[in-house]
Structures are given as structure tokens and as C-alpha cells.
Amino acid sequence: MSKTNLNALFLGPKSENKRFFSEMLRFLMEDHISWRENFHPEDPPLITPEEHDHASFQDTLQKTREVLVDLAGRLEMSSNPWFSPRYLGHMNSDTIMAANLGYMLALLYNPNNCAYEGSPATTELEVEAGLQLARMLGYDPDKAWGHITSGGTIANYEAIWVARNLKSIPLAVKKVSPDLVSSMSDWELLNQSPGWILDLMDRVKAEGCFEEVRDHSIRGRGMSEFQMGKILVPQSKHYSWNKAADILGIGLQNLQFVPVKSDFRMDIKALAHAIDQNAAQRIPILAVIGVVGSTEEGAVDNIHEIAALRDTCTAKGISFYFHIDAAYGGYARTVFLDDQHRFLDRNEVIKKFQRPDLNWPCIDLYRAFKAIPQADSVTIDPHKLGYIPYSAGGFVLKDKRVLDLISYFAAYVSGQKDEMPGLLGSYIMEGSKPGAAAAAVWTAHELLALHQDGYGEIIRCGIEGTANFFQALRDEPPITIKNDRFMVEPLIRPDLNMVDFAFNRIGNVDLNEMNRLNQAIYNESSFRGGPLYANEWIASKTSLNRREYGEAPLPFIEKFGVPTSQWEHVGEVFVLRSTVMTPYLMKPSVFEEYHHRFMQTMRKRLSKAVTQF
Ligand SMILES: *Cc1c(COP(=O)(O)O)cnc(C)c1O
């Protein structure tokens, strides 16, 4: 087959592919209609033509029409135009047409992926999609496992669920079968690597006391009997980690934030220091979380350095679970893979871009993506860079043996390969869940392979569009409004496809005033500025504060001539935030046109803000 043509992938900003979309939708709906009709054709229709003539029948249909037209109106009035390059805000753009159609089709079958019985078709699709993700992330598909969650939040919970239960196993073994861990102290037992613990579990299973060990682990005994220590997350973490620490009984006080540097990547020296300091106080590390694509800045932590640090620590007798939160950036790994899913040389990745002069990825990014399979598990969201409709997150495990720690009903899940898809509900967080979401993910993965010529193609477009936007912001000459001149600066060179940026009046050294200006622009650039459908340009925003980020944002405010003392005094900088997921801004001519409109809009918004103050 020839290469995927991106122009044929989406309904399109102007519904350019409407004919194909309508035809396919009609075909699929009629296919489903026949599926019902042909189910035991010997059964007669239960709704007869005479029924149709009842006034109440006609009334009900009329009411159905009215309600649906009402719904359409409400959606049209107040929804985000994600399909348009005028929308540059959250991680949203058009979603893949095949995924939308697959979702709508599967919806009519209403599969429930909690149990195989309620979803023989889509449970298999969910587990297949999970394995496709595992392979893309660099795991061995024979050992790995993955599935579709409702989102990154739930996937992160599953990571801590697993890490927590795993950490408690060696101590449980000591209670139940002390001979297996005879010469080891509690501290040593709390500092074994996940691989070592899983091997220990195999021995426990061989001895026939696995159930008993599990009952003596955190799962059976609860948190009060264990001192599991800290979860270390970078300051740039998503707030689902706070929720995870709360819900899973870890406690917020055991969530420790590792400083990020001014590029918003985790400071690895600070991480090493945090681990050492805790160890010195005999506090174990439950897990270290690396972020691939921070939610607010799009920054990618140096995963290779975290992995290397874990190896060093393990050798020193301090080990921990390593999870990567790649909810946002995970799919970008497709850019690095050839069609056999081999990790490419950096030069080959660079050359695939229309603009190799971008030199993307830098060496750290390259190494970070390469090192992903060294983590024990990964969160990755198809409903972000996978261009899939909600709700589709993903949780992927390097070693599926850990499922036995969390499973209900079927013990020894991992031993029975054929049974695997059976009862998803017995070893995931959720219960009943839409098979349609899994079907949408699977459909898109089948259409667009998870490597450089499939998904990699769209993601490269996003990265190049982002680079265009970043460069334009950097090159923007001062904007004159009446007697004032304004400058704009991006926060960091984007690691992926997000640009944060802010405006300031040239000469203004007051951070509060700068924040008010950007807040006023955001108000106009969002649902707050009136009906979204009439809005000329839509963005999102974020606020970086000193409590959460320490001094990391300081070099940014200094670019505007705002002094350090203001940072200490105000402690917060408000920025506009644009994710460039739309594939269309890669083309220079399209970019020029949209950028021109963007600057016109910004000029209007600056003028309005100036007259307001
Ligand atoms: C979006 C995001 C999450 C949460 O994912 P949801 O799908 O919104 O639940 C977690 N971590 C990171 C880094 C994210 O960007």
C-alpha cells in the first residue's frame, strides 16, 4: 500500500471529506440495521405497520426529532471548533475519521468491556490495542500487557495500585514463608527491584502460598501495616498524581515534588539527592514518575537519565518502581520507529521531517524516547496524540506477571495466556466501560500503523507546525498600539507540539501588570469571550507559580525585563498555552495565512486590553 495520505484522514476543517464520511456512515448504519434484521429471520417484526398510525407513535417520533435538534443546537452553540487551525489550545484537534466512524458503529452494539461475556468482539480489540501500544513503547509483546482506560488519570491510578501492592510483597512473603527471604532485613525487602519481586512471586506460586502472601500484602492488610515511603514526581506533574496519592491511601505528604529546570524537565541531580536524603532517613521510595510531555509545558523528562539512576540506585540497594506518565507525549514515539518497529538512528528521524534543519529531536529527546521501555509501566492517552475521540487512555505494563497482584476472581492471570482477555473488570480499576472506545483505538491503529509512516506522519506535522509557530513568536517585531509597544516571547523551545507564550508592554517591569494583560487576552481567546463559534482564535492558558515551580520560570520573566524581585514578590506568571495538533500548519503557505490572522486578532485583543486598563 502507498503511504497514508493525511488529507484523507480527517473529516477536515471545512468538512472537505464530507461525501466519504456521509457515505461510510450511512453504509455502517445500514449494515447494523441488517444485522438486527437478519438475526433469526424467522422471528416476526414486533412493531407492526398499524402501530405507526397511532397518534402517540407519531408524537413520540416528533418529540425525538425535537429533542435531537435541540441537542444539535446546544452543541453547535457552545462547542470548541477543534477541527480548525484557529483552535490552538488544549491537546485537541480533529479526530481520525475512521476512529469516529468505528466508535459510532461500535456504539450501536453497546459492548461492555468489563467482562468478555458482554463484549466478545471489543474485549479482544482492547487487549490487541494494548499490545500494539506495548510494542510501540518498546516492550516485549510476549511479556507485556496493556489496555484502554477512560484516560490518563485512571492509568496513573493503576500504576500506583500496582507499584504499591508490589512493594509490599517481600514483607508479606517474610510473614508467610520466611525461608524464601531468610537473611534479608525489612529495609532490604523494601528496596528490591520490581523484577526481583516478580521472580520472588514465581517462587511463592511454586510453593503454593501465593494467595496467602497476597492476603498479607497491602491488598489484604491495608496501608496501616506498611511504610511504603515516597512517590517522587517532577514539579511539572499532572494533578492526577495528587489525586492518586489521596485515593490510594499514600497520603499527599508522601508525594514529593522534584524540581524542574528552566527547560521544565526534571532536574536529575535533584532527583538523586531526594532519593539519597530519603534513604538516609530510612524512608523507601515507592515509585519515581517521569513525564513524557508535561501537561502545561509539553516538556519531556530525561527518561534515560532516570533509568540510569535507577540502575545505580538498585546496585546500591535502593530500588523502586519506575513509571512514565506519557499520557500526552507517548504517541510521539512512533516518529522514532521504522515499519518493523525498530528504533531508528537519530539522523534518520531528523531526515524524515520536511524541514530537517529543525534538527528534531535534540539528543536528550532522542535518548529519552529510546529509554522508555526501561520503565515498569507507561500511561499513554489515545485521546491526546492518538487523535481518538474520548474517552481513551492507556495503561501499559512491561511485565504482565504483576496483574496477579491486583486481579480478582482468576488468580494466576498471567499463567493462562488464553484466558487473558476474559474478565478485564477483574484486574483493572473500572467496571463497566465502553467497548466502543477500544474499538475506536483499534480501528485507528489498524489504519495508521504505530510507526514513522503511520502515526509518525501526523505527529511530525504537528511538531513542524509547532516549530513554525514558535519561530514566528520569536521573530515577531514589537507590536505598536497607540503609544505603547508590546513584545511576545515563547516560554521554552518546544519538546513536542506545545508552545506557551506571553505578551508584555515593553518597559513594563511589573509582573502583576504583565499577568493582567495576558489574562485579558486569554479571556477574549476562550469561552469567556462570548460564543466560541464566533471567536477568531482560541487558546488555553496556564499559570506557573513559585509554590509549585520554584525558580524554574524565572529566566522566562527576565526575557521581558521583569526583575527577579518581582518573581519573589508576585510569585506567579500567567501564560497562554497552545497545542498545535492540527496537521495543517506545517505547510508554510497555510501557516503564513493563519499566522497573519492570528496577529491581527492579537492586535485587536491587545488594543482592547489597553483600553480596559
Ligand atoms: C492529560 C494528562 C493526564 C490525565 O489524563 P486524562 O486523560 O485527562 O485523565 C495525566 N498526565 C499527563 C502528563 C497528562 O498530560
Side-chain angles (χ1 to χ4, degrees), residues 571-598:
E572 177 175 40
V573 60
F574 188 97
V575 299
L576 297 158
R577 169 173 166 274
S578 284
T579 315
V580 186
M581 274 184 62
T582 175
Y584 306 107
L585 293 181
M586 180 201 73
K587 258 200 182 150
S589 57
V590 176
F591 178 77
E592 281 312 316
E593 203 180 312
Y594 276 92
H595 180 245
H596 180 70
R597 289 184 193 144
F598 165 70

Side-chain angles (χ1 to χ4, degrees), residues 91 151-154 156 238 240 291 293 295 325 327-328 381 383-384:
M91 296 121 176
T153 299
I154 299 294
N156 286 344
H238 185 267
S240 53
V291 176
T295 316
D325 184 356
Y328 162 34
D381 273 3
H383 66 209
K384 284 181 177 165

Side-chain angles (χ1 to χ4, degrees), residues 424-442:
L424 273 180
S426 76
Y427 42 91
I428 64 173
M429 276 241 160
E430 297 156 278
S432 295
K433 63 201 286 279
V441 177
W442 180 88

Side-chain angles (χ1 to χ4, degrees), residues 258-259 261 266-276 305 309:
V258 180
K261 299 205 277 194
M266 193 199 285
D267 181 341
I268 306 298
K269 282 210 185 89
L271 173 64
H273 183 66
I275 294 169
D276 288 346
E305 293 184 0
L309 180 64

Side-chain angles (χ1 to χ4, degrees), residues 220-235:
R221 297 291 152 135
M223 287 295 283
S224 58
E225 286 192 19
F226 296 91
Q227 221 275 52
M228 295 285 97
K230 306 266 182 183
I231 301 175
L232 305 185
V233 292
Q235 287 172 323

Side-chain angles (χ1 to χ4, degrees), residues 242-494:
N242 300 55
K243 287 169 33 182
D246 172 357
I247 293 168
L248 287 146
I250 310 296
L252 288 170
Q253 64 168 356
N254 293 315
L255 193 63
Q256 186 172 336
F257 305 117
V258 180
V260 294
K261 299 205 277 194
S262 58
D263 57 8
F264 291 87
R265 297 179 186 163
M266 193 199 285
D267 181 341
I268 306 298
K269 282 210 185 89
L271 173 64
H273 183 66
I275 294 169
D276 288 346
Q277 266 200 331
N278 280 300
Q281 299 171 63
R282 285 291 196 239
I283 299 172
I285 305 299
L286 170 54
V288 170
I289 314 300
V291 176
V292 169
S294 64
T295 316
E296 305 302 331
E297 307 85 10
V300 176
D301 286 338
N302 287 340
I303 298 300
H304 49 299
E305 293 184 0
I306 303 176
L309 180 64
R310 182 179 51 176
D311 291 346
T312 321
C313 287
T314 303
K316 285 194 299 189
I318 300 168
S319 203
F320 46 81
Y321 193 89
F322 175 24
H323 176 79
I324 297 177
D325 184 356
Y328 162 34
Y331 273 78
R333 200 170 193 272
T334 57
V335 174
F336 298 84
L337 303 179
D338 72 7
D339 58 6
Q340 301 300 309
H341 295 86
R342 283 182 298 239
F343 206 83
L344 293 159
D345 287 340
R346 180 165 164 251
N347 274 334
E348 291 175 281
V349 180
I350 292 172
K351 275 194 309 212
K352 267 283 191 169
F353 282 85
Q354 299 273 311
R355 286 178 48 194
D357 60 302
L358 276 184
N359 227 12
W360 197 98
C362 68
I363 290 173
D364 273 334
L365 268 181
Y366 177 79
R367 290 185 178 150
F369 275 95
K370 191 169 188 177
I372 286 177
Q374 295 190 52
D376 299 305
S377 52
V378 179
T379 290
I380 173 170
D381 273 3
H383 66 209
K384 284 181 177 165
L385 283 192
Y387 293 79
I388 304 286
Y390 294 112
S391 57
F395 178 60
V396 184
L397 281 167
K398 178 195 216 140
D399 188 331
K400 64 183 167 210
R401 286 181 294 171
V402 301
L403 289 177
D404 290 335
L405 289 169
I406 55 174
S407 75
Y408 284 83
F409 309 122
Y412 299 79
V413 178
S414 61
Q416 302 169 7
K417 209 172 165 197
D418 303 338
E419 292 267 315
M420 279 295 282
L423 259 175
L424 273 180
S426 76
Y427 42 91
I428 64 173
M429 276 241 160
E430 297 156 278
S432 295
K433 63 201 286 279
V441 177
W442 180 88
T443 306
H445 286 184
E446 288 293 302
L447 172 67
L448 264 184
L450 288 162
H451 57 62
Q452 62 170 0
D453 295 328
Y455 265 103
E457 199 77 57
I458 322 181
I459 291 168
R460 271 199 305 275
C461 288
I463 291 170
E464 295 209 38
T466 308
N468 289 337
F469 190 50
F470 168 76
Q471 197 59 42
L473 289 173
R474 283 221 337 207
D475 295 348
E476 205 61 60
I479 304 154
T480 306
I481 312 268
K482 291 190 188 136
N483 298 323
D484 290 318
R485 293 193 320 144
F486 293 85
M487 64 187 288
V488 60
E489 281 289 342
L491 178 70
I492 49 170
R493 172 177 290 279

